[in-house]
Amino acid sequence: MTEEAGIAIGDGIATITLDNPPVNALGAGLRAGLMAALRAALDDPGVRVIVLTAAGRTWPAGADIREFGHPPVAPLLPEVCQAVAGSAKPVIAALHGTVLGGGLELALAARVRLAEPGTELGLPEVTLGILPGAGGTQRLPRLIGAKQAFGLMLSGLPIGAERAMELGLVDAVTEGGSSAAAERLARAYLAGEAELPEAEERRRGRADPGAWLTAVAEARARLGDPRLPAPGRIIDCVEAALLLPEDEGFAFERAAFEDLVATPEAAALRHAFLAERRAAKQPDLAHVAPREIHHVGVVGAGLMGAGIATALLGVGYGVTLVERDGDALAAGLARVAAHHERAVAKGRLSPEAREAEWARIAGATEIAALARADLVIEAAYEDEAVKAGIFAELDRVARPGAILATNTSYLDVNRIAAATSRPRDVVGLHFFSPVQAMRLVEVVVGAETAPDVIATAFTLARRMGKVAVRAGVCDGFIGNRILTAYRTAADFLVEDGASPYDVDRAMVDWGFPQGPYQVLDMAGLDISWARRKRLEATRDPARRYVAIGDRLCLAGRFGRKAGKGYYLYPEGAWQGVKDPEVMALIAAEREARGIVAREVTAAEIQDRALAAMANEGARILEEGIAARPSDIDLVMLLGYGFPRWRGGPMLAADQAGLLALRNRLVDYAREEEAFWRPAALWDELIKYGRKFADLND
C-alpha cells in the first residue's frame, strides 16, 4: 500500500482516506493504495462496512490527465471502481469539494453517497474529447435515468449537491462534514438502526426502457459538430447500458474510451486543458508576493474601458472611471449600467448585487481623481502619443507603488513606460472584447517591469476569472502578431484569385467560428487600416503589400457598423451577404497589380493559414516573446476562435508533421520570401526529431 490511501479500522468500520494533494487526482499511486486498503478491509473479518473519504479540500477531482497517452499502469480506474462496486461489504462514499470525472465514477461505484453542502459533481470528460471510461456511462443512467445522465455527460458541466440529491445522484446532503455523517450512518447500520440500499437495486436503477430509448434518440438528434466524436460515443454507451448485459456494457464503454483517447481531437483538447495550467506557472515568480490591490482606476470609458470596469466591479474592486469630459463619462457610466441590466435580466446578477456593485464605482473627468488608486488601467484610443500623454499625467498624480497598466493591443509598452519616471511599475494588460465574456488577458512584460508587478497582474487576472498568458514586447505581442500573419496569408490568396467569401467558408469549415473577413467586418476595417497607416513609414517596400483592405476603407466600407465592409449588411442586418461591389474592387486591384486570378481550393486556404500562423509562432518563440508553444496555442484558443479541438497552431503543426509543413513554407517562400521563409526553429526541431510540444516543459 502506498501512502496515498490510508486505512483505519475500529468498531466494525474501515475508514479509507484518499490523500494525494492537491486535488486527490486518481493517479497510479492513489489507485494502488486504494486497492490495497480495500483488500485489507475485505480480508478483515471484523469489518462490516467501509467508509471512503478524502483528505484535504476535495474528493478526487478526476483522473491524472498526464497519464493519458502513456502505457497504462495497474490497477486501472475501471478495476478500482469495479472492486468498490463488487465489494461484499457496503461502501459509503463521503463527498466534498469537487467530485469530477473519475472521482465521480469512483463515487458511483459506492453503495451510498453523502455530500457536504457546496459539493460540485460532474463528468467533464466530453470537454477533453473522451467519455467516462470507468463505468460512468453505465452506472449513471441506471441510477438517475438516461435523460438526466445525458444532461451531465454531454454538457460536461457540474451540478451542486442539492441538485444531485434531487436527481438521486447523492443520497443526502449532510451538514457538519460528510465524513462524520458517513461514520454516523455506518454505526447506525451496524446497530440495526438504518438500512442501506441493496447493490442489486442500484444496478437495476429506475429507468423506463421506453423513456430511455427516447432520450437516446433525442440526444442523437441534437448532436453538434460531427468532427467531435466523443458526444456520439457517449450516446452509444448509454444506449448499450440498456441493451447489453452489464459486463458487456462496461466492455463496450472501455473500448469506446480507448478509441477516443487515441484521437487527435482528444489529444488537442487535453493539450488545451494542460496549457491553461501551464500558463499559470511562472517559475521566476514562485516566491514573489503580489502588491495589494483594492481600488482600480480605469482611464477611458469606451466599450473596452466600460467592460474592464464592469468586470472589476464584479469581483469586488472599487473602481474610478475617468473620461475626458462629462458627456463621455456619462456615456461610459451608461455602458456599465447597461452591462449590469443585461446581467440582471439574464439572471447572472441579482438586483441587490447590482446595487452593491454600482455603489463601488465613481466617475471623474480629471486624472487627479486616481491619486489613491492601487492600479490604473489605461483603455484609451490605440495611439501611442495619446497613451504616452496619459501615462505622463499618471506619473504625476498616481501614488508611489501604484501599478500603471496599458490595455494596448499592439503598441510598444516600453515606449509607453518611458513616458513615466517609474517604468518598473508599468505593465501591459491586454484584455479582449467583450471583456465579460473573453477569458484571456495577455500580461505584457516590459524591459523594466518589476517582478511583483507581473505577479500582481497574474493575481488580478485569476481573481477576475481570466487566464493570463505572459508575453514580451513586440508589435501585436502574441495573439495579434499571429492574427496579422493569418490575415496576410489570406490577403495574398484573395489577391491571387480567391474571394473573401471562399476564405471565410474554408476557415469556418476548418473549425473557426468565423472567417478572417467576417471578423474584420465585426471589429471595423478602420481599426486595422489605422494600424497599417501607422506602420507605413517602416514598411519594407520590397515586401508584398495587399491594398484591398485600403481600397474598401477609402470607399467608406468600414464593416458592419457602416452597413458594408467585405460583406453587405442590408438595413442593419447582423449577418452579412456577399457583395458584387467588393468583388469588383478586388478585380480592379488585381488588374492594377498585373495579377491574373487563379483557382484557389479550400485545402490550400487551410494549409496556408496554418503554415502562416505556426511559422509566426516559431518566430515568436525564437524571439522570446512567448515562453512556450502552449502559451501561443492558449492565446489563439481563448482570444481568436482557433478551434479548441485542434489545440492551437503549434499543436496543429505538430499533428500535421513539422517536416511536411516546413517543406510547404519553403515552397511558398518562392512566391514571397520575406513572409514565408521558415523560422530557424523548424530545422532545429526536425534535426533532432522533436516537436513544438517538447518545448512546453
Side-chain angles (χ1 to χ4, degrees), residues 147-173:
K147 183 175 182 179
Q148 290 79 6
F150 282 138
L152 278 172
M153 290 189 285
L154 294 179
S155 73
L157 299 174
I159 59 173
E162 290 74 14
R163 175 59 178 158
M165 187 172 69
E166 291 174 7
L167 294 176
L169 179 52
V170 301
D171 297 282
V173 178

Side-chain angles (χ1 to χ4, degrees), residues 163-190:
R163 175 59 178 158
M165 187 172 69
E166 291 174 7
L167 294 176
L169 179 52
V170 301
D171 297 282
V173 178
T174 60
E175 299 289 346
S178 57
S179 296
E183 294 281 351
R184 290 195 299 271
L185 177 60
R187 292 192 186 94
Y189 169 73
L190 293 177

